[in-house]
Amino acid sequence: GPDVEAWKGRFVRIWRRPFTNVVSGAGGHWELVKRETPGRIVGVIAVTPEKEVILVKILRVPLKQYVLECAAGLPDHPGESEEELAARELLEETGYRCDKLEEVACGPQNSGLSEDVIVFFLGTGARKVAETAHEDAEDIEVITIPLANLEHYLRNPPDGMLVDLKIWALIPFLDRA
C-alpha cells in the first residue's frame, strides 16, 4: 500500500511505509523522514590554489555538538541547478567562490531514516570573495585546513567536535585539486 503520513512538522514529515520482509515474508511498517524540500541535497568540498580545504564547523542541534562538515544545502530555489546550488551554498556559508565545480559523488546519506540523497561537488580554485551570510538558525565557523594535514585534523578534531563521515569519503577526489 501507499505511504501514510504519521506526523507533519514545518520542515519534515514522518511517514509509515509498508514493506514485506523478503526472508520471512512478514509485513510491517517502516518509519521514515521526508523533507518538505524535494530533490537531492547538494554539498561541496572546496580547495584553494594554496591546497587548503574549506570546511565548516556547524552546531547541529540534534547532536547538541559542533560537527565539521562540507558546505551543503537543500534545493529551495526553483529552477536552480545543482551546480548553482553548490556555488550559492559555498558562498553563503564560507564566503568562497570556486573557479570550477565538478560533480564527484552521490548517494544516500542516512538510508535507514530518510529518502535523502546527497550529491557532492569538488570545487577548485576556491577564493574568499565575501563575508558569510548565515541564516538565523546557523551557528557556522569556516575552517581552512591544509590538504597535507587534513587526515590528521579529521582524526584529532579540536574541542570534542564531531567529523561528518562524508568528508572521509571525499578524500580520494581531493587529488584532483
Side-chain angles (χ1 to χ4, degrees):
D3 293 353
V4 176
E5 186 178 30
W7 180 84
K8 180 181 181 198
R10 182 173 167 201
F11 300 108
V12 297
R13 297 179 191 209
I14 308 292
W15 293 80
R16 292 169 43 98
R17 176 167 291 165
F19 74 96
T20 303
N21 184 299
V22 294
V23 176
S24 69
H29 285 88
W30 196 273
E31 295 173 353
L32 65 130
V33 175
K34 292 185 186 183
R35 293 183 188 274
E36 289 296 300
T37 308
R40 299 193 300 186
I41 300 166
V42 171
V44 57
I45 190 161
V47 184
T48 69
E50 297 77 32
K51 301 294 187 221
E52 291 182 310
V53 179
I54 309 303
L55 298 169
V56 292
K57 174 184 168 184
I58 182 168
L59 179 65
R60 289 301 186 188
V61 175
L63 292 165
K64 299 180 186 174
Q65 283 186 271
Y66 285 94
V67 179
L68 186 68
E69 301 181 2
C70 296
L74 299 167
D76 52 5
H77 286 52
E80 184 176 48
S81 73
E82 289 178 336
E83 185 174 329
E84 289 168 335
L85 172 57
R88 178 171 57 85
E89 287 294 339
L90 183 69
L91 183 62
E92 287 177 2
E93 292 185 9
T94 70
Y96 282 79
R97 181 173 284 129
C98 294
D99 292 338
K100 180 183 172 191
L101 286 167
E102 173 192 5
E103 183 178 331
V104 292
C106 82
Q109 66 169 9
N110 193 342
S111 57
L113 179 66
S114 77
E115 296 179 322
D116 284 346
V117 172
I118 189 164
V119 56
F120 273 99
F121 288 82
L122 170 65
T124 51
R127 289 177 179 80
K128 179 98 174 187
V129 296
E131 292 308 307
T132 54
H134 299 149
E135 296 172 13
D136 291 344
E138 294 180 317
D139 179 350
I140 296 179
E141 177 186 341
V142 179
I143 306 285
T144 58
I145 305 162
L147 181 52
N149 299 347
L150 181 62
E151 290 193 36
H152 181 267
Y153 188 92
L154 297 179
R155 289 186 210 289
N156 304 281
D159 305 324
M161 180 172 53
L162 300 174
V163 174
D164 186 331
L165 279 172
K166 293 184 290 297
I167 298 171
W168 286 104
L170 295 168
I171 286 176
F173 300 107
L174 296 177
D175 287 344
R176 301 181 190 184

